[in-house]
Amino acid sequence: MSAENILEALTDNIVVDKSKCIFCGHCAEKCVLDNIRINRAPCSGACPLGLNVQGYVQLIARGQEDRARQLIADVLPFAPVICRICDHPCEHACNRRDVDGQAVSINGLKRYLFAGMPDGELCPAAATGKKVAIVGAGPAGMLAAYDLRRAGHDVAVYDAAPKAGGLLRSVLPLWKLPDSVLDGQIAMLEKGGVTFHLGQRIDKAGLGALQAAHDAVILALGAG
């Protein structure tokens, strides 16, 4: 039997339980025989953050909303914010458009999942003893703080503004991103151990002081 026929025979023996599979692709990545082929749905392929879009839509349809939320939260630290500001390229690629011209309301479903839900949780790893200062409390600074704190580092964020959020707070209209939603995500960082020092403008002398007191300094100053 040729190698091609062997692989075809092995593939024919694969049985997929479609009531459980969400086409995440992990089986294809981990298969030691390299005989599983899964094409990503166009909606997932269009997501710049790599979300398993068809996965959480399937889980919602099955009534497994907690699993759907977790699937998103594993990739998006600030899902309640993202679902309000995303321009949903996934919907432009949705196969449903070829059926009746209208995409599945993917971002609407994501927003539905997190509406009225708790702010989430930041669970730090074991303490590393490393200290990191972040200058800038906008989107980049917040994400850096989340990732570094989750890795177990002590994180302090400095910003000249009286409130954290950067352009998320100062540019986006309240109807698109209410302060309460943004404040909830900042509170989640604080509960996880991130320290914010607001109303403090860091000049060159201040930057030198931060470098002397920390193992690393990240400048997340923003386009402004």
Side-chain angles (χ1 to χ4, degrees):
M1 183 180 292
S2 69
E4 182 178 353
N5 289 335
I6 291 174
L7 286 176
E8 288 178 355
L10 289 171
T11 302
D12 289 341
N13 289 330
I14 296 173
V15 178
V16 177
D17 186 341
K18 293 185 178 180
S19 68
K20 297 179 179 178
C21 179
I22 57 172
F23 297 92
C24 62
H26 293 331
C27 57
E29 295 171 3
K30 296 180 179 179
C31 179
V32 295
L33 296 176
D34 193 31
N35 64 322
I36 300 177
R37 295 290 182 270
I38 293 181
N39 294 324
R40 296 191 71 192
C43 52
S44 290
C47 178
L49 298 175
L51 270 180
N52 182 4
V53 174
Q54 81 281 1
Y56 70 77
V57 172
Q58 280 284 334
L59 290 172
I60 293 172
R62 297 171 192 170
Q64 301 177 31
E65 295 181 0
D66 286 340
R67 283 191 62 198
R69 271 187 285 271
Q70 189 59 52
L71 187 70
I72 295 171
D74 287 342
V75 179
L76 298 183
F78 309 119
V81 171
I82 296 295
C83 66
R84 287 178 169 272
I85 64 177
C86 178
D87 64 350
H88 42 78
C90 52
E91 295 183 18
H92 299 298
C94 179
N95 277 333
R96 186 70 192 177
R97 293 167 65 96
D98 296 332
V99 177
D100 59 8
Q102 186 172 358
V104 173
S105 183
I106 297 170
N107 196 58
L109 289 171
K110 182 160 77 261
R111 182 167 172 175
Y112 154 76
L113 280 176
F114 291 93
M117 296 301 295
D119 297 323
E121 188 176 8
L122 196 172
C123 299
T128 64
K130 300 292 186 181
K131 298 171 62 178
V132 182
I134 300 171
V135 182
M142 289 173 58
L143 183 56
Y146 180 92
D147 287 341
L148 289 165
R149 183 65 191 130
R150 190 170 61 168
H153 307 310
D154 288 337
V155 179
V157 182
Y158 296 81
D159 198 286
K163 290 187 175 182
L167 293 182
L168 291 175
R169 191 181 298 279
S170 62
V171 172
L172 294 176
L174 290 176
W175 60 264
K176 192 170 186 65
L177 180 60
D179 281 345
S180 58
V181 175
L182 184 56
D183 289 341
Q185 297 305 286
I186 294 166
M188 180 261 289
L189 292 174
E190 292 178 318
K191 291 176 184 176
V194 176
T195 303
F196 285 88
H197 301 276
L198 302 172
Q200 296 191 28
R201 183 173 297 278
I202 304 299
D203 55 16
K204 288 186 178 180
L207 180 59
L210 290 181
Q211 290 175 311
H214 296 80
D215 296 285
V217 176
I218 292 178
L219 299 182
L221 307 179

